[in-house]
Amino acid sequence: MNHAAEPIHSSISGGFLRHYMDIIADKALPYQWQVISGQRGPNPTVNNFRIAAGEVKGEFGGVPYQDTDLSKWLDAVGCALRNRRDASLEAIADAVIETIANAQDADGYLDTYYQLVRPNEKWTDPDSHELYCFGHMIEAGVAYWEGTGKTRLLEVACRMADHVCRVFGPEAGQLHGYRGHEIIEMALCRLFRATGETRYRDTAVWFVHARRDTPEQFYQATRKEGNPLDYGCWGWGDPERETSSYEHVTGHAVRAMYLYAGMADVAQLTGDEALLAHCRELLDEVTRRQMYITGGIGTTSVLEAYTYPYDLPNDTMYAETCASIGLCFFAHRMLMMQPDGELSDVIERCIYNILPAAIAQDGQHYFYVNPLQVNEEACRRDPLKTHVKPVRQAWYECACCPPNLARFFSSLPRYTATVQEGRLWLHLYAQGCTSFKLGGANITVAQHTDYPMEGRVRITVATDKPTAFALMLRIPGWCRRFWIDGRPGSSGMLSRGYLAIERNWSGETVLTLEMDMTPYMMQAHPRVREDSGKIVLTRGPVVYCCEEADNGALVEDLRASASAPIEQTWQNDVPGFGEYVGLSVPGKASSAAALAEERLYFPVEMSARNVTVKAIPYCLWGERVPGEMTVWIGRL
Ligand SMILES: [Zn+2]
């Protein structure tokens, strides 16, 4: 077992991101354990493992991928314990890991649905979630080992991975394909990095390349006659489409992101430049043509899929929380190979907008679907919008998102900085510290900031030995003016979105980066028909929305003056969040006479009410009084 430490360690100790990490550690993880262990009402997740382990008698309950609610929770606990030890949480996890180990078959197989319900049908349904369950448990094994140093779950994971490596591959007697729900590619790569066992890497490579090299074998069994659920999402070796004629990302948004992230892992581990280039095409296709301004992806609830470029409806979309987590996985892997501010911008868009919006301040309520426009009656009465919830829910029957959000937020420190090309790249600004070794020197880079509430970041570089290297500061894509130690910077100074500070560092050096946080308005590409004539209020990376609580009903009737200055006020009305910046701008809304009209249609009215359009960060929508919400509003 290779126990080599990562060459870099980052922590987040305060500010916005730490706030959400603390919600997860202090509130969400204890709550989620109570839910999945059945303490808050019937929930079969943990019980399924207890039955499979022979600890209790009973029948399997829940959905075929029910196991992943527990494996994702353990993944999150592992990541959270890495940030901060918590003896009671660790004791709960250790105990359930014993149950999991006892539930595993002697040959490494572990999927309680098949073990308890269809024991003679393992690996017979290519559309099953077996590989999804395997992949998540393998990821949990690595995360728990990284967080605690304990190997019990990692050993379970290795036995599962060994099983997969035996069952799947190009040899006679092995299965040559299985569609399922992707994640095994990422999981095997992660396990290879943790253990150094090359068969895990090789099988991950096979899973990716088999789609391209032997697509008929890989997909054949899944293209069943009359199968209504074609989640095709590969864009890579799809047998109905040559790779070279690839045009657009298609299919199930979460599966696509998980596959692409696995492809990026394989590209990194094998040095496959063609695969890397293809991954970049796919990422650009998603983020430049099919991503919401909040970081949401997945345009339609039908098969939870993408549709076509620039199709971004605000009220019928899917925008599943897991899909944006997958997008961060993908963008981060690409960033590790090729530092590029556009990739960090994508991650930042997700972590300050859609992802914090998906969890309430109490850590006990969640969004699965993340709309940009909501009214409660539509959710209730429009059959096309019943998947959209106007308030965060305590749990879901398909509860993929809550524990996935927990593991993602708990792992945020690893997104902040990387050492590449002998340089330190700061990708995210957050109160905290990064330490690494370079040329025999121990170096720490501390950030002192309240970003994104404020644009000032004080960076302290400390080294125990004089060392020359470049500190690469990301200047976000939204940032139009910035200053380094009070001197104005310009876009001409940037390379791929980063500003290089080359020095021979010694002792302690303090730098100050100041980013202009003046609020501004954004518009969509004219091809986004849904947003035609509309604007969004933004401040730094934070996207704002207008709520009924501040503006009254009919928030979509608001029109903001594009020429007036945007006012900022500090507000403190979201319990548990603390102070945030609210925005307001002069605008118009329909006159009282228009509102009183009994006719459905009438000549254009000449008068309109003067109103103040008020907006709050999108991530805080629905935290006060439930009501209407819209991100996009009319432009005067
Ligand atoms: Zn989900």
Side-chain angles (χ1 to χ4, degrees), residues 206-228:
W206 176 82
F207 268 112
V208 167
H209 284 180
R211 287 179 158 81
R212 178 194 62 189
D213 299 337
T214 53
E216 290 304 329
Q217 287 183 27
F218 197 90
Y219 294 118
Q220 191 176 33
T222 71
R223 295 198 181 268
K224 290 183 224 161
E225 196 85 9
N227 180 2

Side-chain angles (χ1 to χ4, degrees), residues 267-332:
Q268 192 265 324
L269 291 176
T270 60
D272 186 336
E273 293 292 332
L275 182 57
L276 175 62
H278 187 68
C279 287
R280 185 62 200 243
E281 276 181 37
L282 291 165
L283 185 67
D284 288 347
E285 174 66 18
V286 173
T287 59
R288 294 178 186 174
R289 294 180 188 86
Q290 304 209 47
M291 180 178 69
Y292 287 94
I293 194 166
T294 54
I297 51 172
T299 305
T300 172
S301 63
V302 179
L303 302 184
E304 308 173 8
Y306 303 101
T307 51
Y308 57 93
Y310 302 108
D311 179 35
L312 292 164
N314 293 307
D315 55 350
T316 55
M317 75 299 95
Y318 209 63
E320 181 180 343
T321 303
C322 288
S324 294
I325 292 171
L327 177 59
C328 289
F329 291 161
F330 184 24
H332 179 60

Side-chain angles (χ1 to χ4, degrees), residues 320 322 368 400-401:
E320 181 180 343
C322 288
Y368 180 119
C400 52
C401 301

